[in-house]
């Protein structure tokens, strides 16, 4: 399937700094081929590898990928274990290459309760690549937006109880600093594959003003062309953040 085209002459001026992707549709991709779901997840890892390279080629500075949600634990045990195995394989196999390409890895989501080998691989990926600057890859693993907000609120409550934070000092900016994404810019664009049009607990705080692009392809079929098409759709959007733009002035030609 070739992706729909949505040409816009402004695209070069409006590349999003941060793209976040809900990589959905691995199971249906496999089902359509008469394969077990794990085959879809394996193909999904290949698509992720290509997408990391594509992000650099397309000039995106931050790429966040939704790899495993806090609700995905409700899947059959064998599928959860396949997904854990694939994450380990991805980091073991790709970490050296990611590091060589200057990719900085950061992981968001709850680390508590993860198997020790997974937790230490995630730590290793972050520490090895901490000084890299070519591309920031944020992996949302055991991530749920509500869980993230609850954990942040708990830490804020503890800081107030300790006396190290005044409750009146808690602004949106301060709150954001307690989230897993502290220091990470909000996503400009969120892409979801597989035709579903929902957020599934992905970055609810951070995506308040993100542009959303829903693609019908399943995640394993996602290519650089689909990525470029989503960026073209983004470039044609007019972001207003609750304000108004002067008549006839659209994003990308305003300044
Ligand atoms: C996305 O594909 C991968 C994860 C959620 C880990 P799915 O496994 O959700 O695939 P579908 O949505 O069932 O097709
Ligand atoms: C969202 O996809 C989670 C990831 C892509 C990791 P799901 O497949 O879990 O979402 P729902 O269940 O369709 O909402
Ligand atoms: Mg799904």
């Amino acid at each position: 399937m070739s992706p729909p085209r949505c040409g816009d002459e402004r695209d070069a001026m409006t590349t999003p700094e941060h793209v976040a992707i809900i990589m959905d549709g691995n199971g249906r991709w496999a089902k359509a081929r008469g394969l077990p779901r794990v085959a879809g997840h394996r193909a999904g890892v290949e698509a992720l590898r290509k997408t990391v390279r594509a992000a650099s080629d397309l000039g995106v500075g931050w790429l966040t990928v939704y790899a495993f949600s806090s609700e995905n634990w409700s899947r059959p045990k064998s599928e959860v274990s396949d997904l854990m195995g694939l994450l380990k394989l991805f980091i073991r196999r790709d970490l050296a290459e990611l590091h060589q390409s200057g990719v900085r890895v950061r992981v968001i989501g709850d680390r508590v309760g993860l198997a020790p080998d997974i937790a230490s691989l995630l730590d290793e990926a972050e520490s090895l690549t901490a000084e890299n600057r070519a591309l920031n890859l944020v992996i949302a693993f055991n991530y749920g937006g509500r869980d993230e907000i609850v954990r942040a609120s708990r830490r804020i409550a503890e800081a107030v109880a300790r006396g190290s934070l005044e409750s009146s000092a808690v602004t949106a900016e301060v709150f954001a600093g307690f989230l897993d994404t502290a220091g990470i810019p909000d996503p400009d664009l969120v892409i979801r594959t597989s035709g579903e049009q929902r957020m599934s607990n992905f970055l609810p705080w951070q995506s308040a003003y993100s542009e959303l692009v829903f693609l019908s392809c399943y995640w394993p079929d996602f290519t650089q062309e689909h990525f470029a098409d989503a960026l073209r759709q983004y470039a044609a959007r007019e972001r207003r953040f609750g304000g108004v733009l002067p008549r006839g002035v659209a994003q990308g030609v305003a300044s």
Side-chain angles (χ1 to χ4, degrees):
M1 185 196 85
S2 69
R5 304 206 75 87
C6 186
D8 191 287
E9 64 280 1
R10 287 168 294 160
D11 32 304
M13 301 168 71
T14 52
T15 301
E17 181 190 15
H18 183 176
V19 177
I21 306 185
I22 304 176
M23 309 183 289
D24 194 22
N26 294 350
R28 279 163 286 168
W29 181 92
K31 191 174 178 205
R33 286 160 180 76
L35 298 169
R37 290 178 64 86
V38 66
H41 296 314
R42 276 193 213 111
V45 173
E46 294 310 315
L48 171 60
R49 287 198 174 100
K50 290 185 204 141
T51 302
V52 173
R53 283 195 286 271
S56 295
D57 292 351
L58 293 167
V60 168
W62 291 81
L63 175 70
T64 296
V65 292
Y66 204 5
F68 189 87
S69 79
S70 43
E71 286 74 34
N72 287 148
W73 292 106
S74 67
R75 295 188 179 201
K77 256 193 170 140
S78 60
E79 179 166 351
V80 168
S81 136
D82 289 338
L83 288 165
M84 296 293 147
L86 282 171
L87 175 84
K88 285 193 270 185
L89 195 70
F90 173 69
I91 295 189
R92 287 205 184 107
R93 242 178 71 178
D94 289 40
L95 184 57
E97 193 191 321
L98 290 171
H99 183 43
Q100 258 179 3
S101 325
V103 176
R104 181 185 182 187
V105 177
R106 197 158 147 186
V107 182
I108 57 170
D110 194 2
R111 234 44 97 81
V112 176
L114 288 182
D117 58 341
I118 293 195
S120 65
L121 271 177
L122 298 179
D123 288 345
E124 185 192 334
E126 289 187 319
S127 53
L128 178 72
T129 62
E131 305 305 321
N132 293 343
R133 292 293 176 268
L135 170 74
N136 292 281
L137 172 64
V138 182
I139 302 175
F141 189 80
N142 193 21
Y143 175 86
R146 288 180 175 177
D147 174 67
E148 178 192 33
I149 289 169
V150 168
R151 285 186 288 106
S153 307
R154 215 178 276 144
R155 287 201 295 273
I156 289 171
E158 285 161 4
V160 171
R162 269 198 314 273
S164 57
L165 181 66
E166 291 281 335
S167 60
S168 59
V170 182
T171 58
E173 213 181 349
V174 168
F175 194 95
F178 281 83
L179 294 169
D180 296 351
T181 50
I184 299 176
D186 286 342
D188 301 294
L189 168 65
V190 178
I191 299 171
R192 182 172 188 147
T193 57
S194 91
E196 306 297 355
Q197 302 195 5
R198 56 176 172 264
M199 296 301 284
S200 302
N201 207 9
F202 188 47
L203 302 174
W205 172 282
Q206 299 84 347
S207 65
Y209 274 100
S210 302
E211 296 297 324
L212 310 179
V213 168
F214 297 103
L215 301 176
S216 58
C217 69
Y218 294 140
W219 173 249
D221 290 328
F222 184 80
T223 62
Q224 179 152 347
E225 257 313 288
H226 290 97
F227 203 160
D229 175 59
L231 298 191
R232 276 191 288 273
Q233 291 193 45
Y234 172 84
R237 303 276 175 90
E238 187 183 277
R239 301 181 78 186
R240 290 191 289 272
F241 300 97
V244 286
L245 290 177
R247 197 199 281 268
V249 175
Q251 184 201 12
V253 292
S255 56

